[in-house]
Amino acid sequence: MTQTHDLSATRMAAAVRTGEVSPVELADHYLARIERLNEQVGAYVTVTAERARDEARQAEKAVREAADPAELPPLHGVPVPVKDLNMVDGVRFTIGSGVYAGLTGFADDNVVTLLRRAGSVLLGKTAAPEFGLPCYTEGDVGPPARTPWDLSRSAGGSSGGAAAAVAAGLAPVAQGSDGGGSIRIPSSACGLFGIKPTRGRISQGPIIPDLFGLSTNGPIARTVGDAALLLDVMAGRMPGDLYAAPPVEGTFASHAGRPPGRLRIGRSREPAVAGAVVHPDCVAAYDAASELLAELGHEVVDMPPVFGPDLVPHFETLWAVMATITPVAGDSEHLLQPLTRWLRARGEATSAPQLFQAHAALQGALRAAFPVMDEFDAILHPTLAEPPAPVGYFHDQEPAENFERQKRFTPFCAMYNISGQPAVNVPLHWNDDGLPIGIMLAGRLGGEGTLISLSAQLEEARPWIGRTPAIWTA
């Protein structure tokens, strides 16, 4: 029997417009599931039940009064949670930290404004680790975010709560963000499709600065079409943004229904992190994806590595400095996680010349890498070097070991935050233990449309929508 949360967000939006589904019914359905299941998966840190029901009632009234419901916004009445690294006016805003456990948002981030304009209903704030720094979602603010496929394992991070919500049927789609893999990592761990867009595609403002351009908002969804629709809603440059993405032809949703044509696809499974070893399950997913792409008529060739271990210390310098940006009063520093304190100490010890030298070294590497990468329409990698990690695998270690484990776990993602290129996780493979193992496709700057078309082709060839964890039917 089809349940409400079996519907895609695209189908849900269409059903709201025709009156087939009520926004109030949708909100009540998801809020009931959150009440029953959230403690198990750690998806939400704040649930805005009263606000969600109020927004749903307003959405239902708008459907009744609309002269032409087809003209309603694209996500009218569809529940969409917001990651707790993004501010929502009047809603608790912890930034994943005990330091900010009592803070209430005083403005809407630009991406939140766009989600509201699109007609979405806010279910709440999804869990994130402290300041979004780790690739897992554990801390003092709420329970660990767990992949619904195995509740002993992490949902990843830093958009772990967002991915856990979608994979467990606690939201149809979710907004996430990605500064070093934070959309693709949890999408892989939770068996979802996630998009890190081109740098400048989605505004970071008005609260979050662009700075090095590593981080961007993006969608997490069960289907390619849903992610493309959410990307259309969130995309847009705002005054004061430092970066601007190349324009795209048509909508991203239209690319989900457009054949990609025959593409030249480079592939590499050589980690950019010294000591990282790609697990056989991740190699199997990578090889299977290579074979499928070739079967679909694409040219798949090995690509020489363009990013090596020599760049990792430069990225670490940027990451440590970024850890210092969130203000923390001296008498509250004891509330920070050990990893956060360790990273902030590294960042505070970095001189301005050291920071500029690191940034310059990364730009120099990109000038050599782009001519190689631009020979390909897309580039294939494993998303992660290992299957989803047990809860505590990173968090229970001393900071230096914690950070080393994170680097070896995700040695492929951050290179595309450095370059600003779009990249997606595609959930094509599950191992013998029933754990999802994603593959990553990266594209040219501004090439989200190509990645969406290619991913939709893969989705049609090897559908994953019917694969759901046991908790899905709870």
Side-chain angles (χ1 to χ4, degrees), residues 127-219:
E130 191 161 64
F131 306 161
L133 296 170
C135 70
Y136 59 90
T137 304
E138 300 171 44
D140 294 333
V141 176
R146 303 171 184 267
T147 175
W149 295 92
D150 180 345
L151 295 176
S152 72
R153 295 179 181 260
S154 171
S158 62
S159 305
V166 177
L170 308 187
V173 291
Q175 170 268 341
S177 57
D178 190 316
S182 292
I183 284 172
R184 291 157 289 159
I185 294 164
S187 293
S188 180
C190 294
L192 302 169
F193 183 74
I195 305 175
K196 183 203 86 69
T198 297
R199 176 179 294 147
R201 181 70 69 199
I202 299 176
S203 175
Q204 290 287 92
I207 307 299
I208 303 172
D210 294 336
L211 295 183
F212 311 124
L214 296 178
S215 185
T216 177
N217 292 282

Side-chain angles (χ1 to χ4, degrees), residues 5-225:
H5 56 281
D6 288 324
L7 298 174
S8 69
T10 303
R11 175 73 182 87
M12 206 174 279
V16 165
R17 292 189 196 94
T18 62
E20 180 183 351
V21 173
S22 156
V24 173
E25 292 171 358
L26 290 177
D28 285 343
H29 176 82
Y30 281 106
L31 289 170
R33 284 185 64 81
I34 292 167
E35 185 175 359
R36 291 199 310 273
L37 304 173
N38 186 58
E39 190 66 26
Q40 296 181 47
V41 296
Y44 288 85
V45 67
T46 300
V47 180
T48 54
E50 183 177 346
R51 175 171 175 161
R53 291 191 171 99
D54 181 58
E55 290 179 355
R57 285 190 292 268
Q58 294 178 41
E60 188 169 282
K61 182 172 182 287
V63 173
R64 290 196 307 266
E65 296 178 351
D68 182 3
E71 297 299 319
L72 290 169
L75 289 175
H76 188 81
V78 176
V80 181
V82 170
K83 184 176 175 179
D84 204 30
L85 298 187
N86 293 84
M87 188 179 288
V88 179
D89 190 18
V91 177
R92 183 182 181 222
F93 179 50
T94 75
I95 328 177
S97 175
V99 173
Y100 287 96
L103 178 65
T104 298
F106 50 82
D108 282 342
D109 273 358
N110 288 338
V111 70
V112 174
T113 298
L114 294 174
L115 286 169
R116 287 168 60 84
R117 287 180 188 169
S120 69
V121 170
L122 179 71
L123 289 172
K125 303 293 290 296
T126 56
E130 191 161 64
F131 306 161
L133 296 170
C135 70
Y136 59 90
T137 304
E138 300 171 44
D140 294 333
V141 176
R146 303 171 184 267
T147 175
W149 295 92
D150 180 345
L151 295 176
S152 72
R153 295 179 181 260
S154 171
S158 62
S159 305
V166 177
L170 308 187
V173 291
Q175 170 268 341
S177 57
D178 190 316
S182 292
I183 284 172
R184 291 157 289 159
I185 294 164
S187 293
S188 180
C190 294
L192 302 169
F193 183 74
I195 305 175
K196 183 203 86 69
T198 297
R199 176 179 294 147
R201 181 70 69 199
I202 299 176
S203 175
Q204 290 287 92
I207 307 299
I208 303 172
D210 294 336
L211 295 183
F212 311 124
L214 296 178
S215 185
T216 177
N217 292 282
I220 296 175
R222 294 170 60 223
T223 72
V224 175

Side-chain angles (χ1 to χ4, degrees), residues 143-309:
R146 303 171 184 267
T147 175
W149 295 92
D150 180 345
L151 295 176
S152 72
R153 295 179 181 260
S154 171
S158 62
S159 305
V166 177
L170 308 187
V173 291
Q175 170 268 341
S177 57
D178 190 316
S182 292
I183 284 172
R184 291 157 289 159
I185 294 164
S187 293
S188 180
C190 294
L192 302 169
F193 183 74
I195 305 175
K196 183 203 86 69
T198 297
R199 176 179 294 147
R201 181 70 69 199
I202 299 176
S203 175
Q204 290 287 92
I207 307 299
I208 303 172
D210 294 336
L211 295 183
F212 311 124
L214 296 178
S215 185
T216 177
N217 292 282
I220 296 175
R222 294 170 60 223
T223 72
V224 175
D226 280 359
L229 174 62
L230 192 55
L231 181 56
D232 277 322
V233 165
M234 295 193 294
R237 188 168 184 267
M238 300 291 189
D241 291 346
L242 292 180
Y243 303 100
V248 64
E249 179 185 347
T251 65
F252 293 112
S254 70
H255 283 272
R258 184 183 305 178
R262 187 172 190 266
L263 304 179
R264 187 165 192 261
I265 299 173
R267 69 171 203 157
S268 172
R269 62 176 178 88
E270 184 68 30
V273 173
V277 177
V278 183
H279 190 279
D281 290 344
C282 301
V283 174
Y286 168 84
D287 286 341
S290 300
E291 293 171 6
L292 177 56
L293 288 165
E295 288 173 14
L296 293 170
H298 302 293
E299 179 188 6
V300 182
V301 299
D302 290 326
M303 185 185 80
V306 292
F307 298 107

Side-chain angles (χ1 to χ4, degrees), residues 332-373:
S332 295
E333 287 188 358
H334 69 284
L335 298 174
L336 293 172
Q337 295 293 309
L339 176 68
T340 306
R341 291 199 299 271
W342 182 78
L343 284 169
R344 286 170 67 92
R346 289 183 65 177
E348 289 163 356
T350 301
S351 67
Q354 288 172 327
L355 175 60
F356 281 116
Q357 286 164 8
H359 208 177
L362 293 173
Q363 185 182 11
L366 290 175
R367 285 175 167 158
F370 270 118
V372 178
M373 296 190 293

